[in-house]
Amino acid sequence: MVRTKRDRQAVKVPDWEALREAASKIKEHTLSRLSEYLEQFEAHAIANGVQVHWARDGEEHNRIVHDILARRGAKKLVKSKSMLTEECHLNHHLEQHGIEVIDTDLGERIVQLQKMPPSHIVMPAIHLKRAEVGEVFHEHLGTPRGLDDAQQLTEAARQHLRQHFLTADAALTGVNFAIAETGGFVVCTNEGNADMGAHLAPVHIACMGIEKLIPKQEHLGVFLRLLARSATGQPSTVFSSHFLKPRPGQEMHIVLVDNGRSRQLGREDFRKSLACIRCAACFNTCPVYRRSGGYSYSFFISGPIGSILAPNVDKAAHGDMPFASTLCGSCSAVCPVKIDIHAQLLKWRQEITAAGHSPWWKTLAMHATAFVLKRPALYAFAGRMTRRFTPLVNALKLDPWTKARTLPDAPKESFREWMQKQGRSR
Amino acid sequence: MSSREAILGAIRSAQPKALSLPDLDALGVGGRMEGTLVNFIAMLDFIGARVVRAAKLEDATTWLRENIPVNEAIASTVPQLPGTVDLSGISDPHDLDGVHTAVFPARFGVCENGAVWIEETDLGHRVLPMIAEHLFIVVRADQIVADMHAAYGRVGKIGSGFGLFLAGPSKTADIEQCLVIGAHGARGATIFIWGE
């Protein structure tokens, strides 16, 4: 459904392919001079009256954010969507220090109340049915039991979150694009939650990965035309807010986070994954994601892009993810910044296997397969056995896959046998 | 070594040989969509904004009188369309909670996506377009650009500390992908287009 909306919007833009090419090239250029652009961005941001912090990893990021809040005695933080803070487990860290964190994106608030992580980076609660949201709101927001109207549920969340916006001590937002030449940054939302938080609270903290940088403001034209169309099939997000300076009396902070990105930058085969603008077009088109959902992946960013980002963080822990793909290439075809996702999936498979992170049974199975495939007679015998014993496999349900699924009936003869018969009858 | 130095050092040793910046014109980016008023209005309709077309700015007075319930708070930064809230007397943006309609100007509109460009200096308070229940945005009919590249050409250097492209009323589809107008920001956006 979202995929169809994306396609409808993309075809309406005559220069769509030129935009993808431009976006890809701008990102490649930026990554090749990232250190300079970061220094440029920092200098301009400081000149704008913004305080800039650098964090090597998630832990340092969390410490920086907590220090800012602690200095101001902040007790309540309203937060708009930021995958980076998910990556760093910021909420947990702040809650341990007695700070209340309110996720303000509707989808994120729903899963936060459920004490669950987002299952999609753009639509965090996409896996839930209206009635399930109704249950959550009944329990936490006191809406009537059984309420399952999206309009009424959204209204309840609006009232609930407005109270938090009005009483928050600080606001945290993500960053969609940071501009080196101005020191400014752009945050895109449809709900207006990033703006509600940032423009009301006395402190605004914006957290960004170092790869969010683009050289010039005019480049926003390229990226903003691609982002919303690729993400939700809208011509634009409702709010594309350009932050440059704090408002009078406000404190504004930017936290620049590495957390493994410089390592990925050094990996030539995987460098391009840093061009990602987090639109999730690859999720929405992926035949695996669409069937299995975000919770079936081991990394906080799921889907195709998550599957090439995760092994950089931990090859052993997320070694499975690049294998959960059909390599159909649909992800690469829709990617607005032309990341060769499916090619990187294949490369990760090779790296993970070479590093010995493939499970022993998979290695054994591969060797066994190779042994059989090299021997035609054995192959024909194995085929006969498989055809005969399919009903037994169904009955035993040894593999988790077969617990809820039945293998189709095997044909009586192999293709080769059938072919030979054709020759005889002619 | 500070984290700043450590990160920059790691990046310097990891980044590849410098690549050149692409030439957007040579790639054929931009200038290929029509920037007409008719298309702009059609796009506003598509994104859920209401359009009011008028010859003169003063015509908005009638529309506001007829469409906004009496006794509701109107915060306006358009001198010709005075509101009921004295914005100059408000120093704390929290006090804007409860504003029924915010009236403010946009510098120009973007045909390809229905967005309008708004500068902080035209708002009084940055939060005005989000905290108000409804928006009444005034834009001149001859101030329409075709696409976002032309738009950034118009924006130029942002002199103030904040600017925004606003495209219609706030919305969400986070519950079972059902589109709901009116998330945290305004529940409705009226774009008042005046002049030839």
Side-chain angles (χ1 to χ4, degrees), chain A residues 1-2 9 12 14-15 18-19 21-22 25-26 28-29 31-35 38-39 42 54-56 60 104-107 110 123-126 128-130 133 150-151 153-155 158-159 161-162 165-166 190-191 193 195-196 199-200 210 215 217 219-222 224-225 229 234-247 250 252 258 262 265-266 271, chain B residues 1-4 6-8 10-22 24 27-33 43 46-47 92-94 96-98 112-115 117 120 126-127 129-133 135 147-149 152 155-187:
Chain A
M1 182 172 146
V2 193
Q9 284 302 320
K12 281 188 193 150
D15 42 349
L19 281 172
E21 184 62 23
K25 287 274 182 333
I26 293 168
E28 272 183 356
H29 162 82
L31 290 171
S32 79
R33 293 177 52 185
L34 190 58
S35 58
L38 279 166
E39 288 175 295
E42 180 194 36
W54 300 73
R56 260 178 280 203
E60 190 173 10
T104 58
D105 172 82
L106 175 57
I110 294 166
M123 294 165 283
I126 193 171
L128 294 175
K129 294 277 162 212
R130 264 175 298 170
V133 178
Q151 184 94 40
L153 290 168
T154 303
E155 180 62 27
R158 176 186 169 101
Q159 305 293 346
L161 285 166
R162 182 153 291 218
F165 284 127
L166 292 170
N190 277 319
E191 299 180 9
N193 56 317
D195 288 276
M196 275 295 275
H199 303 323
L200 286 172
I210 51 175
Q217 181 175 285
H219 295 145
L220 286 169
V222 173
L224 291 186
R225 292 184 76 193
R229 289 183 173 101
Q234 293 170 266
S236 165
T237 49
V238 176
F239 302 93
S240 307
S241 298
H242 299 53
F243 292 87
L244 281 119
K245 300 171 187 166
R247 62 170 199 275
Q250 188 195 33
M252 194 182 277
D258 182 342
S262 57
L265 185 65
R271 179 178 298 142
Chain B
M1 186 164 46
S2 72
S3 295
R4 180 185 186 278
I7 294 168
L8 286 172
I11 292 170
R12 275 186 211 111
S13 58
Q15 66 196 11
K17 181 164 99 330
L19 297 163
S20 59
L21 198 56
L24 299 189
L27 284 171
V29 163
R32 291 171 63 178
M33 292 175 96
M43 185 50 75
F46 177 71
I47 63 173
D92 181 354
H94 292 84
L96 291 166
D97 185 41
E112 74 159 307
N113 57 19
W117 175 251
E120 174 174 36
R126 292 178 185 185
V127 80
M130 300 91 198
I131 203 165
E133 299 281 308
L135 306 180
D147 61 23
M148 289 298 282
H149 310 291
Y152 278 106
V155 169
K157 188 171 160 47
I158 302 171
S160 63
F162 177 76
L164 133 103
F165 280 109
L166 177 71
S170 75
K171 51 178 76 117
T172 180
D174 271 351
I175 298 176
E176 232 183 71
Q177 297 192 52
C178 305
L179 178 67
V180 177
I181 304 281
H184 301 303
R187 299 170 193 273

Side-chain angles (χ1 to χ4, degrees), chain A residues 334-369:
Chain A
V334 296
C335 178
V337 288
K338 289 193 163 182
I339 302 171
D340 52 342
I341 304 176
H342 71 296
Q344 293 193 29
L345 284 166
L346 186 60
K347 281 175 193 153
W348 271 124
R349 290 183 184 188
Q350 291 158 356
E351 282 220 3
I352 287 161
T353 308
H357 294 304
S358 182
W360 64 266
W361 54 266
K362 201 179 262 179
T363 311
L364 185 69
M366 284 313 222
H367 283 300
T369 307

Side-chain angles (χ1 to χ4, degrees), chain A residues 292-363:
Chain A
S292 62
Y295 291 157
S296 64
Y297 296 77
S298 55
F299 195 52
F300 76 104
I301 297 182
S302 55
I305 184 69
S307 302
I308 60 171
L309 293 173
N312 174 55
V313 176
D314 189 337
K315 245 186 269 190
H318 306 299
D320 258 3
M321 282 177 65
F323 291 90
S325 162
T326 62
L327 299 183
C328 71
S330 185
C331 45
S332 308
V334 296
C335 178
V337 288
K338 289 193 163 182
I339 302 171
D340 52 342
I341 304 176
H342 71 296
Q344 293 193 29
L345 284 166
L346 186 60
K347 281 175 193 153
W348 271 124
R349 290 183 184 188
Q350 291 158 356
E351 282 220 3
I352 287 161
T353 308
H357 294 304
S358 182
W360 64 266
W361 54 266
K362 201 179 262 179
T363 311

